[in-house]
Amino acid sequence: MKIFITGGAGFIGSHICEKLYESIPKSKLLILDKLTYAANKSFLSKILIDKKRVKFLQADIINSNKYTNLIKNFDLAINVAAESHVDRSFTNSTLFTKTNTFGAHIFFQNCLNAKVKKIIHVSTDEVYGEKLSGSFKENDKLNPTNPYSASKAAAEIIINSYKYHLKSNILIVRGNNIFGNRQYPEKLIPSCIYNVLKNKPIKLHGNGKNIRCYLSVYDFADAIYLLIKKNKIGTYNIGNNKYFKNIEIAKLICKALNVNPRKYIKFVKDRPFNDKRYSINISKIKSIGWKPKRDLRNEIENIISWYSKNYKIFKLKISNL
Ligand SMILES: NC(=O)c1ccc[n+]([C@@H]2O[C@H](COP(=O)([O-])OP(=O)(O)OC[C@H]3O[C@@H](n4cnc5c(N)ncnc54)[C@H](O)[C@@H]3O)[C@@H](O)[C@H]2O)c1
């Protein structure tokens, strides 16, 4: 199986690459990544050793001439590349549209031109907007509320429109918040860990009461693999139903690091708009035999231990976060 994957040197992408490399023994991977601030090629070091099976290409997803010829007749292409941090999208929104919408469209069109047999696009639960009670199902209306989620929703709408005029095999997955090692320490969990390790305050938006669910990156990669194995197309929510307020996450991390939360947690000005709660219904993905296996409370020690050893690999200084 020949697989093309974008964004493979980032947090989620690198875990998906490892999962597919290990689970599909004869697969060949072509990994494309622009290597933005969030990426690190060393995340792929375990699999890049195998030069026969894994190739890496540093390129922007938008530069189709760099990769169209390389992916001719591939079996599968997975688009994971994105600008992924909501806070940054308020100040640099056009970059988000460029990568997440235009880039995704170019990726998609080029996969079709290259006659790639199946295409997976990694999206987010944020495309639905906030849900104060209940959970969103896959066919619910998209109602993004920030430039990041709008750029992801726009990509989905473009990609989905193809299924009406082309008989293409398209799978869109909408993940909820993902946790694990390798995540750039601007996102809530790694930024809490990073700041405490550096003896700096944990900055929480608003009153810290926004609610999110958190899924292990290993569970997410398992779900992608299962969807590939079962040759599923369409749209799937991938997440879990363990709800955490932001302040609960900060306290959990303070407890694990044995520090007093009152000393570290500071409340800062909220985002211009901050969805109060996200929630997705995962019965569709559960019906094919997947369920989340890992729990944030049990995994937090491992994640902290990884950041304690590896925080120096992230390019930006903590003062910029
Ligand atoms: N992190 C989460 O909690 C979460 C939740 C749901 C969905 N997602 C989605 O999963 C995907 C991966 O997220 P992540 O958290 O791993 O992000 P990340 O920021 O850690 O990694 C993104 C990767 O994409 C690469 N990239 C960015 N722009 C590129 C471009 N123009 N061309 C080629 N490569 C480019 C970066 O170099 C990086 O390696 C994104 O599509 C995101 O929307 C993330």
Side-chain angles (χ1 to χ4, degrees):
M1 190 182 219
K2 287 186 181 168
I3 304 171
F4 174 52
I5 176 159
T6 72
F11 164 48
I12 297 174
S14 61
H15 285 282
I16 293 177
C17 287
E18 282 183 348
K19 174 71 189 173
L20 300 184
Y21 176 84
E22 282 154 18
S23 304
I24 313 176
K26 286 187 182 152
S27 57
K28 292 198 168 169
L29 306 186
L30 171 64
I31 303 167
L32 174 145
D33 201 296
K34 185 179 165 185
L35 296 182
T36 68
Y37 72 93
N40 201 305
K41 212 174 154 188
S42 72
F43 295 162
L44 294 166
S45 51
K46 254 206 277 181
I47 61 171
L48 282 175
I49 293 170
D50 189 345
K51 293 194 170 56
K52 281 195 185 134
R53 284 184 57 201
V54 185
K55 293 204 171 14
F56 183 84
L57 176 67
Q58 181 175 0
D60 192 314
I61 194 177
I62 281 175
N63 293 337
S64 55
N65 55 340
K66 295 251 171 86
Y67 61 90
T68 311
N69 286 337
L70 304 176
I71 60 170
K72 288 238 158 79
N73 300 314
F74 265 40
D75 300 287
L76 175 65
I78 311 176
N79 184 32
V80 192
E83 288 296 334
S84 65
H85 191 42
V86 176
D87 285 357
R88 289 176 190 265
S89 78
F90 290 110
T91 50
N92 196 1
S93 62
T94 51
L95 174 65
F96 282 68
T97 308
K98 191 175 166 201
T99 297
N100 300 357
T101 312
F102 189 50
H105 191 178
I106 292 199
F107 157 87
F108 189 72
Q109 184 59 55
N110 278 288
C111 290
L112 295 179
N113 295 347
K115 300 201 178 341
V116 174
K117 295 184 188 69
K118 181 171 180 171
I119 304 167
I120 301 179
H121 175 68
V122 174
S123 191
T124 166
D125 66 345
E126 296 201 25
V127 294
Y128 295 114
E130 69 180 6
K131 186 84 171 155
L132 299 180
S133 62
S135 301
F136 284 115
K137 284 193 163 169
E138 283 81 352
N139 52 6
D140 280 330
K141 198 176 131 219
L142 307 189
N143 185 27
T145 61
N146 60 59
Y148 162 71
S149 53
S151 70
K152 298 292 290 186
E156 282 203 32
I157 289 167
I158 293 167
I159 291 168
N160 257 326
S161 73
Y162 279 76
K163 74 182 177 210
Y164 294 100
H165 58 102
L166 287 174
K167 292 234 177 324
S168 37
N169 285 322
I170 308 165
L171 171 67
I172 292 179
V173 292
R174 297 182 184 140
N176 68 11
N177 279 32
I178 311 289
F179 70 84
N181 55 22
R182 305 180 187 160
Q183 188 172 33
Y184 194 79
E186 61 191 349
K187 310 276 169 52
L188 181 64
I189 293 174
S191 85
C192 291
I193 298 171
Y194 202 97
N195 282 315
V196 175
L197 290 175
K198 292 292 217 171
N199 204 22
K200 303 248 178 182
I202 291 175
K203 293 177 191 161
L204 292 184
H205 285 129
N207 59 12
K209 290 192 178 154
N210 298 62
I211 296 171
R212 309 284 185 258
C213 292
Y214 289 86
L215 178 74
S216 159
V217 71
Y218 297 110
D219 286 337
F220 187 71
D222 287 352
I224 301 271
Y225 170 62
L226 190 67
L227 287 162
I228 294 169
K229 204 169 127 193
K230 299 211 169 202
N231 206 16
K232 294 293 174 189
I233 55 169
T235 303
Y236 282 81
N237 290 337
I238 307 176
N240 70 15
N241 304 320
K242 299 264 166 69
Y243 296 93
F244 288 90
K245 289 183 182 140
N246 290 351
I247 187 144
E248 289 170 333
I249 296 280
K251 285 182 177 169
L252 179 72
I253 289 163
C254 287
K255 193 172 171 212
L257 283 163
N258 208 15
V259 298
N260 181 353
R262 265 178 277 166
K263 246 184 84 181
Y264 280 86
I265 298 174
K266 299 250 172 320
F267 296 97
V268 296
K269 194 168 176 258
D270 207 350
R271 286 173 179 165
F273 185 85
N274 200 347
D275 293 310
K276 287 192 181 64
R277 176 180 178 270
Y278 291 127
S279 182
I280 49 174
N281 180 301
I282 53 164
S283 42
K284 187 172 174 190
I285 180 104
K286 274 185 157 174
S287 74
I288 67 160
W290 173 91
K291 63 174 184 205
K293 289 191 196 127
R294 299 156 183 94
D295 188 285
L296 177 59
R297 288 184 193 280
N298 301 330
E299 300 289 321
I300 201 71
E301 302 271 351
N302 286 340
I303 297 170
I304 288 174
S305 152
W306 187 87
Y307 279 93
S308 307
K309 288 181 205 131
N310 293 289
Y311 69 88
K312 285 190 183 134
I313 65 176
F314 294 102
K315 286 178 204 154
L316 272 190
K317 291 198 184 105
I318 190 70
S319 55
N320 294 332
L321 297 174

